[in-house]
Structure formats: C-alpha cells, structure tokens
Amino acid sequence: MKYIIAIIKPHRLDPTRDALAEIGINGLTVSEVQGYGRQRGQKEIYRGAEYEVHFLPKIKLEIAVDSGVTEQVIEILQRTAHTGQIGDGKIFVLDLGEVVRIRTGETGTAAL
Ligand SMILES: Nc1ncnc2c1ncn2[C@@H]1O[C@H](COP(=O)(O)OP(=O)(O)OP(=O)(O)O)[C@@H](O)[C@H]1O
Ligand SMILES: [Mg+2]
C-alpha cells in the first residue's frame, strides 16, 4: 500500500476530487494548508490577486491506496491539478505499512 500526499492549488480541488471518484477511490482526507516552494519570497498569483508573502494557501490531499493503483492516482493528480503556472504543487508517495478500519478491525487493503 502507498500513502499519497498531494499539495495542490485550492481551485483544483473539485476537478481532482471528481477524477479520483471516477476511478473508485473510496476515501481521502483534505486539509487547508499553507506553504511555499522554491519561489519563496516572490510573488505568486492566487485567485487573481498578487500576494508578496512567504506562505500561500494550498490544499493537502492524503490518499491511502492499494499499490496497484498508485501510478493511476499520480497520473490523475498530475493532470487535474496542473495549470502550468508556478505553485501547481507536488505529489509525495510514501510506503504505507498498515491500515486498520476502526469499526470492524479489518486491516490492510480490506480496510481501505
Ligand atoms: N520540498 C517540499 N516539501 C514539502 N512541501 C513542499 C515542498 N515543495 C513544495 N511544497 C508544498 O507545495 C506547495 C507548492 O509548491 P510549488 O508548486 O510552488 O513548488 P516549486 O518547487 O516552487 O515548483 P514551481 O516552480 O512549479 O512553483 C508549497 O506551497 C508547499 O506547500
Ligand atoms: Mg513554486
């Protein structure tokens, strides 16, 4: 199993969620976060306004998946979150050791 963390632009959340739903992703976590990349301290456009700040609002998606769909999820994230402008974000892929569904005690891919 893999744990995929994607930092994306807030306005790309809805199309990304829709595309992930289409391939049957059963669960994910979304957080509003702040961050910066390599343009730290430089201007970046956010919803039409220019902010000269270090931290910019982003969305963090966290998705635990069966290893077999990892490449498909990465491809969807890369395609749907992409605008071609700076600040489009990053995808981090971590090995996931265990998952437990608290209600039933199921573990592993059965708990995804
Ligand atoms: N090395 C990193 N570690 C953790 N989070 C990061 C890292 N790089 C970027 N992020 C997160 O991703 C967000 C978007 O980063 P961003 O797309 O600006 O990266 P970048 O390397 O500057 O690429 P680009 O040149 O396309 O802007 C940041 O605001 C931050 O939340
Ligand atoms: Mg950047």
Side-chain angles (χ1 to χ4, degrees):
M1 295 178 289
K2 299 288 186 183
Y3 199 73
I4 301 171
I5 301 170
I7 311 294
I8 67 172
K9 288 182 170 171
H11 78 281
R12 301 313 299 163
L13 174 59
D14 285 352
T16 301
R17 180 205 54 200
D18 291 347
L20 290 170
E22 275 177 24
I23 63 159
I25 294 297
N26 287 325
L28 57 78
T29 302
V30 177
S31 312
E32 294 180 3
V33 297
Q34 294 186 307
Y36 62 81
R38 61 184 176 176
Q39 290 86 15
R40 177 181 181 178
Q42 295 186 21
K43 288 183 179 178
E44 185 177 314
I45 304 292
Y46 175 64
R47 287 188 181 159
E50 282 186 332
Y51 293 86
E52 202 167 313
V53 294
H54 290 292
F55 291 103
L56 290 166
K58 300 289 174 183
I59 290 289
K60 179 168 74 170
L61 291 173
E62 298 174 66
I63 315 161
V65 298
D66 194 337
S67 299
V69 301
T70 307
E71 291 306 319
Q72 193 178 7
V73 170
I74 292 170
E75 187 274 326
I76 284 171
L77 292 169
Q78 213 274 322
R79 177 163 44 83
T80 58
H82 180 269
T83 72
Q85 306 299 310
I86 59 170
D88 269 356
K90 303 236 167 115
I91 303 166
F92 305 99
V93 182
L94 290 66
D95 289 326
L96 178 59
E98 185 59 292
V99 180
V100 179
R101 175 172 285 113
I102 291 175
R103 178 175 60 86
T104 59
E106 291 160 287
T107 59
T109 54
L112 288 175

